[in-house]
Amino acid sequence: GVGGDSTTNPLPVNMLFFTANNVNGDVQLKWATANEINNKGFAVERSIDGANFKEIGFVKGNGTTNTTNAYASMDEKAFVQNASTTLYYRLRQVDFDGNYDYSNIVMVNESNMNGDVVSVYPNPFVNTVNVSIQTTEATTAKVELVDMQGRVITTEVVKVANGGAYHEVKGTNNLSSGIYFVNVTVNGVSQTTKVTKVD
């Protein structure tokens, strides 16, 4: 996806991730926030060329909150109705005072039918790392924390209900600063994410 610059203007919403996934021809959008200030909600926008977007729905926000909030939206029969094999999505986060900001753009292909999406956040991290596991069916996932030498620091088995699970990786509090890897295996497919521990 294409990332925006959030360093100059602190955003009223701290977005953890935004994913688009092809589920049997429908596009399942999922995102989460770490905290929100004055957040009216999210306008969901779709594009067939990645440049010209139109709003297809609105998901109400949680105003002001310091807790993690998960959101989801479904664009049904998206590929057929838009006569396109590739679709692009973004979120326009809107404040109660009318100000707005855009998320990164995510792309989804009609040919990609992998129903499992893994996100690791925040990155870099100070104390804790979280894993979001989105699946199309109930399953279990193996979550491993590995150091630069390939040594496994912790291994956990996480139960994933139909739809997904959020999990805090164990063993990160006492780590020294540096680079580590979070390895998540779901339904026989492994995804490794490099994470950086900072003081």
Side-chain angles (χ1 to χ4, degrees):
V2 179
D5 181 12
S6 61
T7 57
T8 52
N9 298 306
L11 301 181
V13 167
N14 185 358
M15 187 84 72
L16 293 171
F17 65 86
F18 174 42
T19 61
N21 197 33
N22 178 8
V23 181
N24 300 320
D26 300 333
V27 175
Q28 185 180 58
L29 302 168
K30 293 191 176 186
W31 65 98
T33 62
N35 50 61
E36 303 176 17
I37 301 172
N38 198 29
N39 179 28
K40 183 178 181 180
F42 304 89
V44 180
E45 299 184 349
R46 181 211 304 126
S47 171
I48 60 173
D49 60 9
N52 300 292
F53 286 83
K54 70 174 185 178
E55 182 174 333
I56 59 171
F58 191 86
V59 178
K60 186 180 176 183
N62 280 281
T64 298
T65 173
N66 285 318
T67 59
T68 300
N69 287 281
Y71 297 90
S73 179
M74 186 74 83
D75 190 9
E76 297 182 355
K77 305 282 190 294
F79 299 101
V80 172
Q81 293 192 5
N82 292 279
S84 177
T85 57
T86 302
L87 295 171
Y88 303 84
Y89 294 87
R90 72 182 180 188
L91 301 172
R92 190 175 82 251
Q93 183 272 317
V94 184
D95 293 351
F96 283 111
D97 58 14
N99 290 331
Y100 62 88
D101 212 323
Y102 290 106
S103 73
N104 60 304
I105 296 171
V106 294
M107 180 181 71
V108 57
N109 292 308
E110 187 175 25
S111 59
N112 179 15
M113 290 299 293
N114 178 16
D116 303 332
V117 177
V118 174
S119 303
V120 180
Y121 60 92
N123 189 15
F125 70 97
V126 177
N127 290 316
T128 59
V129 174
N130 301 293
V131 176
S132 166
I133 306 167
Q134 311 297 331
T135 64
T136 54
E137 60 186 15
T139 183
T140 58
K142 184 171 73 171
V143 178
E144 293 178 311
L145 180 64
V146 183
D147 67 12
M148 284 283 286
Q149 285 71 45
R151 291 187 295 252
V152 177
I153 300 169
T154 59
T155 301
E156 304 169 82
V157 175
V158 180
K159 288 186 178 180
V160 184
N162 189 9
Y166 297 92
H167 178 72
E168 182 179 309
V169 179
K170 299 291 187 293
T172 57
N173 273 328
N174 300 321
L175 295 177
S176 55
S177 59
I179 294 173
Y180 298 88
F181 300 92
V182 177
N183 186 39
V184 181
T185 305
V186 185
N187 295 326
V189 178
S190 295
Q191 176 177 315
T192 300
T193 303
K194 182 173 74 173
V195 295
T196 304
K197 168 80 182 278
V198 295
D199 292 330

